[in-house]
Amino acid sequence: MKSHVTFLSTPTVDTNGTSLLLHFDDKRYLIGSVHEGMQRVCVQEGARLSRVTDVWITGRTTWGNIGGIFGMILTLADVLQSSVQAAMEAMQKTRKHLADQTERSQKKGDQEPKDGEEGSLARFEKPTLTLHGGLNLMQTLATARKFIFRKSLPIVVNEHGRGSTVDDNWKPTWMDQNICVWAMAITPEESSPDSKGPKKRDISPRSLLNKDSEEDLETSSSSKVRRVPAEPDAGDVTEEERSRVLKGIISDMFDSDWRLDALFETPLAEVRMPATIFIRDAKTNKLERYQGPMPGGSAPVPDVQVLVRRPWPGALVTKLPRTAPSATSMSYIFRNHPQRGKFNPKAAISLGVVPGPSFRQLTLGNSVLNKQGETVLPEQVLGKGKPGGGFAVIDLPSIEYIAGLISRPEWNAQEVMVGVEAVVWKLGPGVGKDVRLQEFVQKLHGFKHVISSPDYCANYLSMDSASAAAVRHNQIDPDRFDVPIHDNRVKALPEALSHCTIAHRGIQIELEPEVVVRVSPVPILLNTAKVISEMPNHVKKAASAARSKVCSKAVQADHQKQDLPGLDVELIPLGTGSALPSKYRNVSSTLMRVPGIGSYLFDCGENTMGQLSRLYPPKELRKVLRDLKMIWISHMHADHHLGTTSVIKAWYEEVHGDASGPKTATDPEGTPTNFNFIKFIKEQKRLFIVGEASMSQWLKEYSKVEDFGYQRLAVLESRGGTSEHPSLLHWNTTPVGFNTNNRSLSEALQAATGLSSLATVYVTHCNGAQAISMTFPNGFKVSYSGDCRPSKAFAEIGKGSTVLIHEATFDDELRGDAFAKNHSTTSEAIGVGYSMGARRILLTHFSQRYQKMPKLDAINNFVVRFDDSPKKANEQLAKHSEIDLDKPALETEALDNPSRKMRGQAYDNSRDQSLSLASLSRNAKDTKVAIAFDLMRIKVRDIGLQEIFSPAFVNLYEKSILADDPVPSPDFDQLSPKQKEEQKKKRQERDKAKKVEQELFMRLRKEHKSMASNDAEGKPMQDKKGPEIGANEFTTRADEQVSQNLPAPKEATGSSSPATSPSQQTRGEKRKERRLGGGSAQDLSSSSEEDLLYENKRKKTLKQERRKAKKAQIQEPQSRHEREDSPRIMGSDIRGYIVE
């Protein structure tokens, strides 16, 4: 079986690691780093992950190696869920067919269906994803239990690295039908393998629940609720116990049977708050929300039975077993199974083996008995076999791991190394220069070596489609768009490693029939000069006209008259897409730079750090990180916060280096009773992370896996407020916000954050989702919506905003989709800005299905409905205080509210709180609206200028330039003579096909003229009820329509009689209607027979000619860029990345 390895990514600033894809016909294996941006790389390279069943993570368990694992799992889960649903539907049809067949057979007295048919149904199994990695991999996955939830993809985690992986018989660590794998756990010098002494304490997943949590009930009708024992110290436990606990948590995350609508009955006094409580009306027997005294309050609770939701598994586990960062780095040796020799049937017959099944058993390597009852071994009838081809992936993060690698016994084990002829070296900075490694590589002289290291690999543009779009944007508006920073040059290897190959994406290592490293053709890079040269002239002209208009005196005069505070504040959208990364847009993140004060991040989706590194040169990037004061996380959907860890780590290394801080800084368990928060934020520079409580818990738990700078953070919990109850910030349980009575605390917080005030409010999207409004001392005010429906409460706290950054996920035509999925449309986002009197509006967070700009014209007639009101603010605040146990933080209100399940339905404008956009715009004072693009740098003073460049951008997108990205290829002059000749042949074939099609149209047009002439003398043609039309006039009009590939003019067919309803149409009439693309059957029957004949013949002939041209044409190689023309399947918002 042929197999090969493909390099998907190598170290660049936005692909922080090396990723390989091992191909077999039936399976795929992902190997190396699952870094942030991994999904985007796979989409860009056309690598489909649907067949990936095993992921082998090399190196240490750090965010740089596994930062993309959550997003990849979610995407795989959605893909496999669709496959499972299709398989289940097919299985149900098959079962029904078998049942019908059995019934018919019984009536006829025939035999029943064969057992094999039923057996094939029973063999269906749910797909499983297996993750292989180092220590703390399970711990990392378990930290995401509050915001990751799937039912369709069971996850199996195999952690390697504890104790010795050497077996006396050199048995593989893992194997399947394709490969054998030997895991090598390498520890650094002066370090021993991670081991924790066994303890006598016993724990289970249930013992890690909240001490007062109700135990999960099997049915919702149970009336008894059993208490879980008080939570023990989940600290020192045995590794076996720890593994059992974490596996239980991971199983609940990805293979749970939990349902949101499952309720169970329990006494009110035993309900653990917070929770949503329902009670059944005694008269109507309908469920209503309980409004009486709550458990834990001052008032006594009545002795009644109520119904509550089954707490979802992730919310029940409040503590994970303790762990510590692991220094173990994982490397692996992969090898195909040996290939058996050719079967010799003559030798088998001479040994007395009967031809038939025994021959097959021998070819499979099994022994059989001959006629005499003697055992015949496979070696007696098979030729000489061949060992399977193999390769090793060695990950050395630093020079401290070199000694551990060299001393591994696998290098001298023939049982392991036979057939292994290639080594992929993943080297950290400076490792390749070490003499010990160079000498070791030279000893492996019979191997083929590929080195992947940031010291030598090129920092090429890994996201070709997004980079090409940025280059085009730069050609339109160079003042606000820069060409992404890149360097296509590779660095020279040391002399001792000169025989090695420098890794690059697209390199392949063939394993069968022999191990070969394919490095030709030359790695293909995005040619930015070619992208610029291929810009359409009409786009260039529109851009030139826009630049000239911007420089005109009239525009400049108006530009200078702006009286806004913070005109020099710069807004930098780093990701403007929703749900999950795509080729063109990264997920949500917006940087705001306030001169003289600092930088602020609104949400921090996956690969935000990579976007920053593409936008800013190293020196300016360091300044951005030093100035960073706050990261705001609007909600716990994964596309809004999975890039936070990387940004924090980069900030920590830039600001504090390797300095270590006191543990009591942010660890509640070690916080003394006399802790001084004012001193805490004054004594050294802190980075404020503000969001809901789940964000704080996640950062704290992951800090036990990796030291990314958590001790230097000030992690604050935001609790949204209303006009009657101002919002609060909490550090642990202590109120530390801007609205406290402690003046010293407020002043210290203002000095540390650079803000004069901060207000948040809960919005309708998912549990805990909040919008924020920040005010600065100079009067500049910015409001950020996050993901939400239009919110009146948000408009209230954002009154007088200088800038509103609001999501506009859907176009106005899909208002039903926006309502069902708790998002906003373009008009609704602008309406919120008008309502709050925002002077500037920046629209962002567009659906990944749309590559075009949203339309901003003809929107004044739309109606904006606010999903809340000031009167309901207190109820909303109470509802959002119940976010811990009812539902996972990723659950949307659409799942809880059946009225929201209206995707594709008409939008109801008859609700309260509805205002027309035209009426709202009267309250706006010279409001300007801009569209956000990835890597755009726009100052507040320049937001109004984007309107001038809109025609150029519209032309760029309407011509579908971004959908037809050029395939990055070398210049024609750089091609070899053979490649040039192939290109010329392909061009000639394309030209020939076009010529054939043009000749076809000319011939059909002549035939249509002859058919249009009712007789040879050119008499006028008259319809039964229509006016007379001369033949010459008709053919002239028909020629015009045919030249545009349009149907013939209606005047030629005469006037049509009233259309019949669809129910009155015959089956033949309906088929006739579908064949001609619309119109009633009566319309078609009144059409002239000539038109009908012409239309059918034209389509049939054109189809035949195209089929012939396609067969004759030399097929071009498939591009690795996949078109995304078809809309993506939309599903319920049940995960971090919102399925759209």
Side-chain angles (χ1 to χ4, degrees):
M1 181 184 297
K2 289 187 177 182
S3 59
H4 66 274
V5 179
T6 302
F7 279 75
L8 293 180
S9 67
T10 57
T12 66
V13 295
D14 51 5
T15 54
N16 183 27
T18 305
S19 303
L20 316 172
L21 193 63
L22 175 57
H23 297 248
F24 282 87
D25 292 339
D26 58 338
K27 294 177 71 173
R28 306 287 188 271
Y29 305 83
L30 190 62
I31 304 169
S33 299
V34 189
H35 50 74
E36 289 185 48
M38 189 67 215
Q39 290 182 93
R40 213 174 180 197
V41 167
C42 292
V43 173
Q44 183 66 64
E45 297 298 315
R48 300 191 176 185
L49 299 179
S50 57
R51 291 190 177 182
V52 172
T53 58
D54 293 86
V55 180
W56 295 86
I57 303 172
T58 63
R60 299 176 54 197
T61 305
T62 61
W63 196 260
N65 267 342
I66 61 174
I69 193 69
F70 296 111
M72 193 197 72
I73 289 175
L74 291 172
T75 300
L76 276 175
D78 292 335
V79 171
L80 293 177
Q81 183 178 17
S82 300
S83 302
V84 170
Q85 289 177 349
M88 294 298 293
E89 291 175 1
M91 186 183 301
Q92 291 175 358
K93 291 181 180 179
T94 304
R95 283 175 174 164
K96 184 178 179 181
H97 171 73
L98 289 175
D100 295 341
Q101 184 179 356
T102 302
E103 185 178 354
R104 289 194 300 269
S105 299
Q106 290 176 349
K107 290 180 179 180
K108 295 180 180 180
D110 298 335
Q111 295 180 354
E112 296 185 357
K114 298 180 181 179
D115 295 338
E117 296 177 343
E118 287 288 352
S120 62
L121 297 179
R123 287 194 298 269
F124 175 79
E125 296 180 358
K126 187 183 294 186
T128 301
L129 179 66
T130 304
L131 305 179
H132 309 263
L135 305 181
N136 285 331
L137 180 56
M138 287 192 293
Q139 188 93 11
T140 302
L141 293 175
T143 62
R145 64 193 181 279
K146 292 284 187 177
F147 57 89
I148 300 286
F149 181 73
R150 277 294 179 274
K151 296 183 179 182
S152 58
L153 184 62
I155 300 290
V156 177
V157 182
N158 293 329
E159 285 190 358
H160 308 284
R162 290 188 179 86
S164 175
T165 60
V166 178
D167 186 87
D168 294 338
N169 298 320
W170 292 107
K171 292 182 179 179
T173 308
W174 182 90
M175 64 184 296
D176 66 356
Q177 72 273 21
N178 293 326
I179 58 174
C180 301
V181 184
W182 287 265
M184 296 191 297
I186 303 173
T187 55
E189 295 178 281
E190 300 182 0
S191 176
S192 59
D194 301 78
S195 61
K196 300 176 178 63
K199 304 291 180 180
K200 295 299 183 181
R201 182 181 300 276
D202 186 21
I203 64 172
S204 65
R206 301 304 303 175
S207 67
L208 294 179
L209 307 179
N210 287 335
K211 64 173 68 176
D212 296 325
S213 297
E214 290 82 10
E215 185 167 355
D216 213 2
L217 299 184
E218 294 297 327
T219 61
S220 60
S221 60
S222 175
S223 60
K224 296 182 179 180
V225 179
R226 291 172 289 173
R227 297 280 186 176
V228 176
E231 180 180 9
D233 179 12
D236 299 325
V237 297
T238 65
E239 289 301 333
E240 182 180 355
E241 293 164 346
R242 176 180 176 275
S243 177
R244 186 173 71 252
V245 169
L246 295 177
K247 286 181 178 179
I249 294 173
I250 294 171
S251 176
D252 285 339
M253 291 171 61
F254 299 103
D255 192 24
S256 173
D257 58 355
W258 176 84
R259 291 177 56 192
L260 175 66
D261 56 356
L263 300 175
F264 66 90
E265 195 173 21
T266 181
L268 176 60
E270 297 184 11
V271 174
R272 185 188 179 278
M273 299 298 293
T276 303
I277 304 174
F278 299 91
I279 190 169
R280 193 175 297 278
D281 188 279
K283 296 181 180 179
T284 63
N285 204 33
K286 293 183 178 181
L287 287 180
E288 298 177 351
R289 189 161 181 163
Y290 176 74
Q291 303 290 345
M294 295 292 185
S298 57
V301 297
D303 184 15
V304 295
Q305 293 282 51
V306 295
L307 294 111
V308 295
R309 292 189 178 96
R310 293 176 56 190
W312 90 288
L316 294 175
V317 181
T318 58
K319 268 191 178 181
L320 297 179
R322 289 183 183 175
T323 188
S326 171
T328 302
S329 178
M330 294 306 304
S331 297
Y332 305 97
I333 297 174
F334 300 87
R335 197 183 70 195
N336 292 354
H337 289 291
Q339 297 181 6
R340 290 184 291 272
K342 186 176 181 180
F343 177 69
N344 188 345
K346 293 182 180 180
I349 293 174
S350 65
L351 292 172
V353 179
V354 179
S358 296
F359 276 19
R360 172 174 172 77
Q361 291 300 318
L362 288 170
T363 59
L364 295 176
N366 301 323
S367 301
V368 298
L369 297 176
N370 60 10
K371 298 177 181 178
Q372 292 76 28
E374 300 171 341
T375 301
V376 179
L377 302 176
E379 293 80 3
Q380 297 176 269
V381 295
L382 296 178
K384 186 178 180 179
K386 177 182 175 297
F391 66 102
V393 181
I394 308 301
D395 195 313
L396 302 177
S398 64
I399 59 175
E400 288 79 16
Y401 291 84
I402 296 177
L405 168 73
I406 296 174
S407 63
R408 293 294 303 189
E410 286 87 349
W411 300 111
N412 300 317
Q414 182 70 13
E415 297 85 349
V416 177
M417 299 303 296
V418 60
V420 178
E421 300 180 18
V423 181
V424 177
W425 298 92
K426 292 182 57 183
L427 306 180
V431 178
K433 300 177 182 178
D434 194 279
V435 177
R436 296 172 297 171
L437 179 68
Q438 295 176 5
E439 293 176 350
F440 182 72
V441 172
Q442 288 178 336
K443 290 181 181 179
L444 301 175
H445 54 82
F447 291 76
K448 301 162 182 69
H449 301 274
V450 182
I451 295 180
S452 182
S453 170
D455 292 342
Y456 312 115
C457 293
N459 182 28
Y460 57 87
L461 293 171
S462 55
M463 312 296 178
D464 299 89
S465 300
S467 300
V471 171
R472 298 185 185 105
H473 295 167
N474 171 261
Q475 295 301 298
I476 294 176
D477 187 3
D479 292 334
R480 277 153 285 280
F481 295 93
D482 294 325
V483 175
I485 295 172
H486 64 285
D487 185 358
N488 292 337
R489 298 169 297 176
V490 297
K491 289 78 173 177
L493 289 168
E495 183 66 25
L497 303 177
S498 59
H499 63 289
C500 302
T501 302
I502 298 177
H504 199 284
R505 70 175 181 186
I507 288 181
Q508 288 190 355
I509 303 176
E510 292 187 3
L511 302 179
E512 300 296 348
E514 59 180 349
V515 178
V516 179
V517 177
R518 301 290 185 186
V519 294
S520 59
V522 177
I524 297 175
L525 303 174
L526 178 67
N527 190 334
T528 55
K530 186 177 180 181
V531 173
I532 294 173
S533 65
E534 293 178 348
M535 283 280 288
N537 290 329
H538 69 283
V539 177
K540 293 180 180 179
K541 291 180 181 178
S544 178
R547 290 193 293 269
S548 299
K549 185 175 181 181
V550 168
C551 295
S552 65
K553 293 183 179 180
V555 173
Q556 287 298 316
D558 292 339
H559 193 57
Q560 298 299 326
K561 291 179 182 179
Q562 298 182 82
D563 59 348
L564 303 178
L567 286 172
D568 291 326
V569 172
E570 190 175 36
L571 302 172
I572 305 98
L574 301 171
T576 60
S578 66
L580 71 166
S582 74
K583 288 200 299 184
Y584 305 103
R585 294 193 182 102
N586 198 37
V587 287
S588 296
S589 181
T590 303
L591 176 69
M592 182 177 70
R593 302 183 69 182
V594 183
I597 297 179
S599 302
Y600 304 82
L601 266 174
F602 297 104
D603 282 329
C604 194
E606 184 178 327
N607 212 19
T608 293
M609 194 63 216
Q611 294 287 87
L612 286 169
S613 301
R614 286 294 183 201
L615 186 61
Y616 295 109
K619 185 177 180 180
E620 190 173 0
L621 178 59
R622 289 194 293 269
K623 185 179 187 306
V624 171
L625 292 173
R626 287 194 299 269
D627 292 342
L628 189 60
K629 290 184 176 295
M630 179 185 293
I631 300 177
W632 161 257
I633 304 299
S634 61
H635 60 289
M636 288 301 290
H637 280 169
D639 62 321
H640 287 257
H641 72 85
L642 281 183
T644 310
T645 305
S646 296
V647 174
I648 293 173
K649 188 173 183 179
W651 169 86
Y652 175 64
E653 293 174 350
E654 176 61 33
V655 175
H656 295 286
D658 294 330
S660 59
K663 180 180 179 181
T664 57
T666 53
D667 191 346
E669 296 176 356
T671 303
T673 56
N674 59 347
F675 179 77
N676 190 330
F677 183 77
I678 297 177
K679 181 180 178 181
F680 165 62
I681 61 177
K682 281 186 174 181
E683 64 181 2
Q684 54 184 286
K685 192 169 185 179
R686 305 283 181 185
L687 176 60
F688 287 83
I689 310 295
V690 185
E692 62 169 295
S694 298
M695 185 67 187
S696 174
Q697 183 181 9
W698 177 63
L699 290 174
K700 176 189 170 184
E701 289 182 346
Y702 184 72
S703 69
K704 310 301 181 183
V705 175
E706 178 186 4
D707 181 14
F708 61 93
Y710 179 75
Q711 295 174 343
R712 302 289 183 172
L713 302 178
V715 185
L716 304 181
E717 176 192 349
S718 171
R719 301 180 183 178
T722 65
S723 56
E724 300 178 7
H725 303 280
S727 58
L728 295 174
L729 298 178
H730 285 74
W731 187 83
N732 297 335
T733 58
T734 306
V736 294
F738 295 87
N739 300 316
T740 63
N741 296 325
N742 189 333
R743 184 175 179 181
S744 300
L745 178 60
S746 298
E747 291 177 352
L749 197 59
Q750 291 170 357
T753 61
L755 305 175
S756 59
S757 67
L758 181 151
T760 62
V761 66
Y762 289 110
V763 291
T764 302
H765 179 63
C766 67
N767 282 325
Q770 299 177 56
I772 188 174
S773 185
M774 298 161 50
T775 307
F776 291 82
N778 63 354
F780 175 74
K781 185 175 183 179
V782 61
S783 297
Y784 176 72
S785 68
D787 289 3
C788 66
R789 292 288 301 146
S791 170
K792 191 68 175 178
F794 178 44
E796 289 292 330
I797 67 169
K799 282 291 185 183
S801 291
T802 311
V803 176
L804 166 66
I805 305 172
H806 204 289
E807 71 119 296
T809 306
F810 292 99
D811 283 341
D812 292 310
E813 292 83 358
L814 296 175
R815 304 186 82 194
D817 295 67
F819 182 74
K821 297 181 70 62
N822 288 327
H823 283 292
S824 299
T825 66
T826 303
S827 297
E828 290 171 337
I830 296 175
V832 173
Y834 287 166
S835 180
M836 66 172 57
R839 303 289 296 278
R840 301 292 181 264
I841 301 174
L842 182 66
L843 301 179
T844 186
H845 195 273
F846 306 111
S847 172
Q848 299 286 19
R849 295 179 297 170
Y850 310 132
Q851 308 305 334
K852 298 182 179 181
M853 293 176 58
K855 300 176 182 179
L856 299 183
D857 54 342
I859 59 177
N860 287 337
N861 293 327
F862 281 101
V863 175
V864 179
R865 176 189 177 271
F866 293 103
D867 274 20
D868 56 6
S869 65
K871 295 180 180 180
K872 301 179 181 178
N874 291 329
E875 297 179 7
Q876 186 182 19
L877 181 62
K879 179 186 71 173
H880 282 282
S881 67
E882 304 167 356
I883 63 175
D884 288 335
L885 291 180
D886 283 329
K887 299 178 277 188
L890 52 96
E891 204 70 49
T892 60
E893 289 299 315
L895 298 175
D896 192 27
N897 185 357
S899 65
R900 289 195 173 275
K901 299 178 182 179
M902 53 177 296
R903 186 175 73 84
Q905 300 179 16
Y907 187 81
D908 185 6
N909 289 331
S910 63
R911 303 173 183 270
D912 59 348
Q913 297 297 316
S914 299
L915 297 171
S916 69
L917 199 59
S919 64
L920 288 173
S921 64
R922 301 189 190 103
N923 301 325
K925 182 181 179 182
D926 67 353
T927 300
K928 304 294 184 183
V929 182
I931 305 299
F933 295 94
D934 280 22
L935 304 185
M936 178 177 75
R937 301 174 61 176
I938 187 167
K939 292 185 177 180
V940 173
R941 67 169 68 249
D942 296 335
I943 289 179
L945 297 180
Q946 197 194 59
E947 181 180 356
I948 300 175
F949 288 94
S950 292
F953 282 104
V954 169
N955 288 336
L956 177 68
Y957 281 82
E958 282 187 346
K959 298 302 179 181
S960 300
I961 292 178
L962 291 186
D964 297 318
D965 285 328
V967 178
S969 59
D971 294 336
F972 185 78
D973 296 334
Q974 298 176 358
L975 298 175
S976 63
K978 184 177 180 180
Q979 291 173 327
K980 290 182 179 180
E981 188 65 26
E982 292 177 353
Q983 292 287 343
K984 289 180 181 179
K985 288 182 179 180
K986 293 174 184 177
R987 191 178 300 113
Q988 291 172 359
E989 292 294 336
R990 287 195 296 266
D991 294 342
K992 183 179 179 180
K994 291 181 180 179
K995 186 177 180 180
V996 169
E997 187 170 338
Q998 291 174 356
E999 292 176 352
L1000 170 66
F1001 272 105
M1002 295 297 295
R1003 188 172 75 248
L1004 288 175
R1005 197 155 54 178
K1006 291 180 180 179
E1007 293 177 2
H1008 188 73
K1009 287 182 179 181
S1010 62
M1011 286 189 299
S1013 302
N1014 196 30
D1015 52 47
E1017 301 176 359
K1019 295 180 180 179
M1021 179 176 58
Q1022 183 175 0
D1023 189 68
K1024 295 179 179 180
K1025 296 183 180 180
E1028 294 184 350
I1029 302 177
N1032 294 333
E1033 180 182 358
F1034 170 74
T1035 53
T1036 302
R1037 296 188 184 182
D1039 287 350
E1040 295 174 355
Q1041 296 296 329
V1042 171
S1043 64
Q1044 302 177 21
N1045 198 17
L1046 296 173
K1050 186 150 188 167
E1051 289 85 356
T1053 65
S1055 59
S1056 60
S1057 55
T1060 58
S1061 64
S1063 59
Q1064 296 173 338
Q1065 295 179 0
T1066 65
R1067 184 176 301 176
E1069 290 173 336
K1070 291 182 179 180
R1071 284 200 301 266
K1072 194 174 182 180
E1073 176 183 348
R1074 288 195 299 268
R1075 186 168 63 248
L1076 290 185
S1080 66
Q1082 204 159 352
D1083 287 335
L1084 297 175
S1085 63
S1086 63
S1087 299
S1088 67
E1089 291 297 323
E1090 290 84 359
D1091 289 343
L1092 182 61
L1093 178 62
Y1094 163 72
E1095 186 69 17
N1096 290 338
K1097 187 173 182 180
R1098 184 184 71 84
K1099 289 182 179 181
K1100 183 177 180 180
T1101 308
L1102 183 59
K1103 187 176 181 180
Q1104 292 174 348
E1105 293 293 335
R1106 284 178 175 171
R1107 188 182 295 115
K1108 292 179 182 179
K1110 187 176 181 181
K1111 289 182 179 179
Q1113 184 179 0
I1114 298 177
Q1115 296 297 320
E1116 296 186 48
Q1118 289 291 330
S1119 167
R1120 68 168 182 272
H1121 301 279
E1122 291 186 344
R1123 292 283 300 272
E1124 293 184 342
D1125 295 331
S1126 58
R1128 303 182 60 237
I1129 299 174
M1130 298 189 67
S1132 60
D1133 183 1
I1134 186 72
R1135 61 160 172 133
Y1137 287 120
I1138 311 164
V1139 185
E1140 293 185 335

